[in-house]
Amino acid sequence: MASDTFRGRIGMTYKDSQPHWSSSAPPRNAPNVLVILLDDTGFGNLGCYGSMIETPHMDALAANGLRYSNFHVTPLCSPTRASLLTGRNHHAVGIATITTFGDNGYPNQRGRITRHAATLAEMLSEEGFATFALGKWHLNPTEHNSAAGPYEEWPLHRGFDRFYGFLPGATDQFHPELTYDNHPVYPPKTPEDGYHLTEDLVDHAIEFVDDLKSIHPDTPFFMYFATGAMHYPHQAPKAYIDKYRGRFDEGWDVLRERYFERQTELGIIPPGTRLAPPNPGVKPWQDLKPNERKFVCRLQEAWAGFLEHTDAEIGRLVEHFSTMGLLDDTLVILTADNGTSQNGGPYGVMNAGPSGRRNATKSGLTLGEKIGRPEPEEDFDAIQEKLDDIGGPKSNSDIPWGWSQVGNTPLRWYKQDTHGGGVRVPMIVHYPRNIEEPGAVRNQFHYVTDIAPTVLEILEVEPRSNYRGYDQMPIAGTSLAYTFGDGDCATKKPIQHFEMMGKRGLWHDGWKAVSRHEPDEDYDTEEWELFNLDRDFSETNNLAASEPDRLRKMIDMWWVEAGRHGVLPLDDRHGWRRPPGSDTLTYRFVPPMAHVPRAQSPTLGGGTWSLLADIDIGNAATEGVIYAQGSFLDGFSLFIQDGALCLVFNVLGAAITGRSATRLPTGRTTVGLLFERGDDDTGKFTLQVDGRETGSIDIPDVTRMSKMRGVDVGRDQHAPVTDAYRAPFEFTGIIRSVDVRLG
């Protein structure tokens, strides 16, 4: 088999060997394909799956199509996306966990999809389809997200003709780090002008289709539309959030029971299903204090508004297809990448960031509590005056475990887990050509690897044994197209394993064995549970003690499947593994240049560091941003205003400001910052002009400085750090270079 580093056939460059969709004829009367992938949206979150949140457009797709009650994915986003697009299991293609965690040195976690597993876009472009990707990608190494590349794992190099979206695992919905095809771009307007990412994605999706059909009306397309919703930050237009004011005041215990009742009435769960007991660490609603309740309800109101807004935008896209006469000839598949997230912790957060300390454990303690470093709780009394910010451009919120558990009703646990709450998600298929019983529920077990072979079967495309010079590994998935016409038949899926950071599971013949691994604990001594999913939808009746022989057999089968599909070695590390040689200590930025994404920007806060800018000041009116890093939540900006060198240091929206004691000279000069960290998490900034101190600023707490990521040079256009100027406040002089030195 060809190496992944091979760039093409002998005598041909990679570009030469890359076919264009117009060079092949698609199957006659081939439909279009629209795959919609929601983020962090658990089994019970949609209206047609029992939620009280209004999702009329997704519900309409279900009413005219099929809902699946037994559809499963991996417990995390990158692995699900890799499996969806390739039809292979995620370890086998090199994405054991999220690409953010980097390369662990083994084939199952290289942080990129092997070339021996073509994506649907690569397969369909060979068959004459136009291919479009919009929204979240999260399938290339994090260190490759910048304008500098390399681009080989970006969408346009994995079979897509056009891309508009974001490369990392999450982004701000009002200030996204956007990529258009192979270059970064800024949002076309500001939040004050009404910008929201989901609306922007739909605008471009419509534009891509219109561009194609205006010139090539007979060419079918494959569109992969992956929203940023419902990953944190949960942000939406204010009217959508305000609509849900007070609707969750009864609390998560009552709402979870209500969701469960609706699921039973809708027939999306079988009669006799039991509601799983509360997950460890979820406080009874009655135990929360009044201000705690107000805070967590506002977080859930933002979540609900975000979902309904997403539904409205999906409806706008589908309606455009209908207006163009395309909808009846389009296979639409809508699903989610994993269950509702546990990252918000027991209380949720106003300003989220990934933290292992907020992951639930069997005992209900966070990891931080287990090691003696609890995650600081919000000051619920002080935060009351900021409740109206939640869900807007000045927040970065995430919901608590209690609401996440509601979203996963009736199941146990969350995203990252191999129990039902992490891996069982909604799936809707809309395809009028083949669906004979619109509005029905399908109960056959299926998995995310089954989407690709389903698409290929409907399109009558036989996958090739070689794409772009690479021999292909077998497609592991099982087409579920047989369920379109037969609701009562048995599943054709033979077996499916699960694994995520040591958490394991196996489904076979209606039974599921599952083990919830804790980091650093012994795999061999951890408990396995056993459930008969055909009779126990919510995994509440553990039969391990009464069926020891069956459990032992299934554990042995798990190891066989793990060996077959590249799962081993097991790796339970939770965090980014920087590639060798990537610990950069010096940076030189020379504008004009694109925005530097989070992963490529300097990591500050560890100790002493300095910034030195070589600039030309034309006259006394010269002004603007020299260097800005971070955002309005956590960031700093060095700029010239009214002839003075100024600094704003912003932590959780609270700004500390300083100015040089004297006006700056005209002509070529150097300005800079020296940061020194104290032993007690305090710090000091010293402003410098031509090597001389011209002012200083004391910082009482620098512990969040490491969160100040993402750089603009010569402007502050991405999530502007401060309101002290009108963004982007471009520098009107000349910036020759900016040097940042760490350590």
Side-chain angles (χ1 to χ4, degrees):
M1 297 175 73
S3 165
D4 276 1
T5 60
F6 182 61
R7 285 294 176 268
R9 301 176 181 87
I10 296 175
M12 301 177 69
T13 65
Y14 179 76
K15 183 176 181 180
D16 290 334
S17 67
Q18 186 171 358
H20 190 267
W21 57 261
S22 63
S23 63
S24 302
R28 187 176 180 181
N29 297 322
N32 308 296
V33 179
L34 170 62
V35 173
I36 301 171
L37 186 65
L38 303 174
D39 204 325
D40 289 4
T41 305
F43 181 81
N45 277 311
L46 306 186
C48 57
Y49 278 78
S51 172
M52 62 167 283
I53 301 170
E54 296 178 32
T55 56
H57 301 284
M58 289 185 268
D59 296 352
L61 289 173
N64 294 303
L66 299 172
R67 282 170 296 164
Y68 287 76
S69 68
N70 206 359
F71 184 75
H72 296 74
V73 292
T74 85
L76 279 177
C77 42
S78 299
T80 289
R81 291 157 205 273
S83 294
L84 186 156
L85 287 172
T86 67
R88 286 90 167 183
N89 286 288
H90 61 103
H91 296 85
V93 302
I95 311 287
T97 182
I98 59 174
T99 58
T100 312
F101 290 177
D103 186 344
N104 70 3
Y106 292 98
N108 65 8
Q109 179 55 31
R110 305 314 304 267
R112 65 196 76 194
I113 297 173
T114 174
R115 298 283 169 169
H116 299 292
T119 68
L120 270 174
E122 288 169 320
M123 292 184 250
L124 295 182
S125 65
E126 293 268 14
E127 307 298 333
F129 284 74
T131 54
F132 310 133
L134 297 110
K136 176 173 171 176
W137 184 240
H138 208 198
L139 285 173
N140 56 286
T142 302
E143 64 271 18
H144 294 176
N145 282 350
S146 78
Y151 311 105
E152 59 187 9
E153 305 304 328
W154 289 25
L156 265 60
H157 288 249
R158 294 311 309 249
F160 288 99
D161 299 318
R162 304 186 72 177
F163 171 65
Y164 187 82
F166 56 100
L167 296 173
T171 195
D172 190 287
Q173 299 295 304
F174 292 108
H175 300 282
E177 289 186 337
L178 289 171
T179 297
Y180 198 152
D181 293 339
N182 267 7
H183 63 281
V185 294
Y186 290 104
K189 54 186 179 181
T190 67
E192 292 74 22
D193 296 326
Y195 181 83
H196 190 279
L197 173 60
T198 311
E199 298 173 15
D200 193 14
L201 295 177
V202 171
D203 287 346
H204 280 82
I206 290 172
E207 177 187 347
F208 288 178
V209 172
D210 289 355
D211 286 348
L212 173 70
K213 295 298 183 179
S214 295
I215 306 301
H216 302 288
D218 297 328
T219 298
F221 61 83
F222 165 58
M223 177 179 287
Y224 171 60
F225 188 89
T227 66
M230 296 297 296
H231 197 289
Y232 74 81
H234 303 139
Q235 299 167 313
K238 189 173 186 299
Y240 283 90
I241 297 172
D242 288 348
K243 177 179 179 178
Y244 286 91
R245 186 68 57 83
R247 292 202 190 181
F248 300 98
D249 288 358
E250 293 174 282
W252 46 59
D253 297 327
V254 170
L255 268 296
R256 188 164 176 256
E257 290 280 356
R258 193 165 296 156
Y259 277 36
F260 178 66
E261 292 170 1
R262 289 192 63 188
Q263 289 173 334
T264 303
E265 293 169 2
L266 291 169
I268 199 66
I269 60 175
T273 297
R274 291 190 294 183
L275 179 62
N279 293 325
V282 177
K283 283 191 173 184
W285 186 254
Q286 63 186 19
D287 291 351
L288 270 64
K289 298 175 182 178
N291 280 349
E292 292 174 345
R293 293 183 183 183
K294 290 179 183 178
F295 176 63
V296 299
C297 282
R298 286 295 184 92
L299 295 176
Q300 179 66 2
E301 289 162 11
W303 202 98
F306 192 18
L307 180 59
E308 184 174 341
H309 177 253
T310 303
D311 176 80
E313 289 304 304
I314 289 172
R316 183 161 69 93
L317 177 61
V318 171
E319 178 59 29
H320 186 74
F321 280 26
S322 180
T323 300
M324 293 184 69
L326 299 174
L327 186 57
D328 287 347
D329 291 323
T330 299
L331 169 64
V332 181
I333 299 174
L334 184 150
T335 188
D337 63 354
N338 46 246
T340 315
S341 174
Q342 61 179 295
N343 252 45
Y347 293 100
V349 285
M350 177 84 171
N351 298 303
S355 170
R357 300 187 217 169
R358 289 199 296 274
N359 293 332
T361 69
K362 290 179 181 177
S363 67
L365 300 175
T366 67
L367 298 183
E369 289 169 328
K370 291 178 71 177
I371 59 177
R373 293 186 290 108
E375 185 78 4
E377 298 175 5
E378 301 281 358
D379 185 336
F380 297 109
D381 296 330
I383 209 170
Q384 297 301 306
E385 63 186 32
K386 295 184 178 181
L387 292 184
D388 288 344
D389 289 341
I390 292 174
K394 297 294 185 182
S395 76
N396 193 37
S397 64
D398 199 0
I399 57 174
W401 292 340
W403 295 125
S404 298
Q405 182 175 259
V406 171
N408 291 333
T409 303
L411 308 166
R412 300 169 61 200
W413 297 111
Y414 315 96
K415 170 184 176 179
Q416 300 180 14
D417 297 319
T418 51
H419 283 77
V423 298
R424 194 187 291 232
V425 296
M427 188 178 78
I428 297 168
V429 175
H430 182 275
Y431 189 45
R433 280 194 196 181
N434 284 31
I435 291 175
E436 301 174 4
E437 191 183 357
V441 175
R442 294 292 186 256
N443 302 307
Q444 294 88 351
F445 179 95
H446 276 283
Y447 185 66
V448 64
T449 53
D450 303 339
I451 289 178
T454 302
V455 170
L456 294 174
E457 179 178 343
I458 294 298
L459 299 182
E460 300 180 5
V461 170
E462 183 70 27
R464 306 183 186 192
S465 61
N466 186 291
Y467 285 101
R468 303 184 180 184
Y470 296 92
D471 294 336
Q472 297 293 294
M473 64 175 62
I475 289 179
T478 302
S479 171
L480 54 79
Y482 69 93
T483 66
F484 292 0
D486 189 346
D488 298 323
C489 65
T491 182
K492 294 184 178 180
K493 187 78 174 176
I495 192 169
Q496 183 58 52
H497 67 279
F498 301 87
E499 193 279 336
M500 187 56 58
M501 294 180 291
K503 298 172 183 177
R504 292 157 286 167
L506 182 89
W507 174 90
H508 175 65
D509 196 23
W511 290 78
K512 182 179 178 181
V514 61
S515 179
R516 194 172 189 277
H517 173 72
E518 299 285 349
D520 300 322
E521 292 191 6
D522 185 357
Y523 294 107
D524 293 332
T525 60
E526 286 185 311
E527 175 190 5
W528 280 80
E529 298 171 290
L530 179 67
F531 304 102
N532 183 342
L533 288 194
D534 287 347
R535 299 179 181 178
D536 181 15
F537 185 96
S538 53
E539 302 175 15
T540 57
N541 184 22
N542 181 10
L543 301 175
S546 60
E547 295 263 7
D549 293 340
R550 184 187 296 273
L551 178 60
R552 182 68 262 168
K553 180 180 178 181
M554 291 192 69
I555 294 172
D556 291 344
M557 291 170 68
W558 184 89
W559 284 104
V560 171
E561 292 298 297
R564 288 180 58 208
H565 295 284
V567 177
L568 308 175
L570 294 173
D571 187 346
D572 64 359
R573 290 175 290 176
H574 187 284
W576 185 22
R577 295 178 283 273
R578 295 180 66 87
S582 66
D583 296 320
T584 304
L585 297 178
T586 62
Y587 297 79
R588 166 159 285 201
F589 301 108
V590 180
M593 57 181 289
H595 173 78
V596 180
R598 291 174 55 85
Q600 283 72 44
S601 60
T603 302
L604 307 176
T608 301
W609 57 268
S610 64
L611 182 153
L612 190 66
D614 181 358
I615 64 175
D616 283 329
I617 300 177
N619 52 52
T622 297
E623 63 177 4
V625 172
I626 298 170
Y627 182 95
Q629 180 163 338
S631 72
F632 54 84
L633 289 176
D634 297 295
F636 75 94
S637 177
L638 183 68
F639 57 97
I640 295 175
Q641 191 175 59
D642 299 328
L645 181 65
C646 306
L647 174 72
V648 171
F649 182 86
N650 202 354
V651 176
L652 294 175
I656 301 173
T657 62
R659 298 169 64 90
S660 61
T662 59
R663 293 180 64 87
L664 295 171
T666 57
R668 186 167 180 176
T669 188
T670 58
V671 299
L673 284 174
L674 175 64
F675 171 77
E676 298 169 286
R677 181 167 183 159
D679 295 333
D680 53 354
D681 291 331
T682 62
K684 179 181 179 181
F685 277 107
T686 301
L687 294 168
Q688 298 176 330
V689 178
D690 290 329
R692 298 188 299 273
E693 179 178 342
T694 186
S696 63
I697 307 166
D698 292 324
I699 306 297
D701 186 355
V702 298
T703 54
R704 288 184 66 92
M705 188 179 288
S706 63
K707 296 181 180 294
M708 298 179 179
R709 309 298 300 279
V711 169
D712 277 325
V713 178
R715 63 166 73 91
D716 184 10
Q717 192 163 345
H718 185 269
V721 170
T722 176
D723 294 329
Y725 46 72
R726 183 176 176 83
F729 201 41
E730 295 190 14
F731 190 66
T732 58
I734 298 173
I735 300 176
R736 298 180 182 274
S737 64
V738 177
D739 290 283
V740 178
R741 299 179 182 275
L742 309 182

